[in-house]
Amino acid sequence: MVQFENNNATQLAEDLLWDFHYDEVYDKENFPEKEYIMNLNPLNTFYEYTYKYARKNGFDGDQTQADNLAKFIFNLSKNKGVTLSSLNTVKNWLKQSPPAKNPGGRNNVYRLCFALGLDVKETKEFFLKAYLDRPFNYKNIYESTSLFCFNNKLP
């Protein structure tokens, strides 16, 4: 194995990253997706995926009807025995800002996924593409329990 000065491989990797000239290597011709990534709106992606899965559950409203979508999801959660904070909170997630990127926010997203009847694969997709965060932190007991529930189709 290669030895680094002071046995500090992390520092070496960080130094190499700082030396990397991202804009020179990944211009529009070599990396056309850069513009899409730079203009990604977390609220829009969260809304689009929530709408997509609500449609699979029978929501027949137009995509512009955020209030009706929130009511549908909130009622769906009550029917499935899943506790979402309040109707106003769901409206805020859809119209103002997705749940926060903290443990409480992540737990709310899992509850939303349970309410929408998602399986493990769909939940992973929702976290990655809608919530823009990694799914299932196995070191967190709530998230490990959620994974078990999704795997076994438990509410």
Side-chain angles (χ1 to χ4, degrees), residues 12-23:
L12 177 67
E14 182 182 343
D15 292 343
L16 289 172
L17 285 172
W18 283 114
D19 290 340
F20 185 67
H21 299 287
Y22 178 82
D23 289 330

Side-chain angles (χ1 to χ4, degrees), residues 38-148:
M38 298 306 284
N39 294 320
L40 197 58
N41 182 333
L43 180 59
N44 289 347
T45 58
F46 189 83
Y47 187 91
E48 288 168 12
Y49 276 88
T50 304
Y51 177 77
K52 169 187 170 181
Y53 287 115
R55 297 272 305 177
K56 285 186 173 184
N57 280 278
F59 179 69
D60 60 357
D62 187 74
Q63 191 166 358
T64 61
Q65 298 173 328
D67 287 343
N68 290 342
L69 177 59
K71 287 177 193 171
F72 178 83
I73 291 169
F74 192 73
N75 289 332
L76 188 64
S77 72
K78 287 200 301 194
N79 292 341
K80 292 188 177 187
V82 177
T83 303
L84 295 177
S85 302
S86 69
L87 176 58
N88 284 334
T89 300
V90 177
K91 285 180 183 180
N92 287 340
W93 293 344
L94 298 175
K95 294 165 61 174
Q96 293 178 7
S97 177
K101 300 274 200 265
N102 60 34
R106 290 177 62 84
N107 293 350
N108 285 330
V109 176
Y110 284 115
R111 288 186 194 104
L112 177 62
C113 291
F114 280 120
L116 292 171
L118 306 187
D119 61 22
V120 173
K121 183 179 176 184
E122 292 168 329
T123 300
K124 286 180 179 180
E125 178 187 40
F126 193 89
F127 263 80
L128 292 170
K129 295 181 179 179
Y131 188 54
L132 305 177
D133 203 0
R134 64 177 164 64
F136 299 114
N137 175 4
Y138 305 107
K139 293 180 181 182
N140 179 299
I141 190 69
Y142 182 86
E143 295 192 26
S144 295
T145 305
S146 295
L147 176 62
F148 176 83

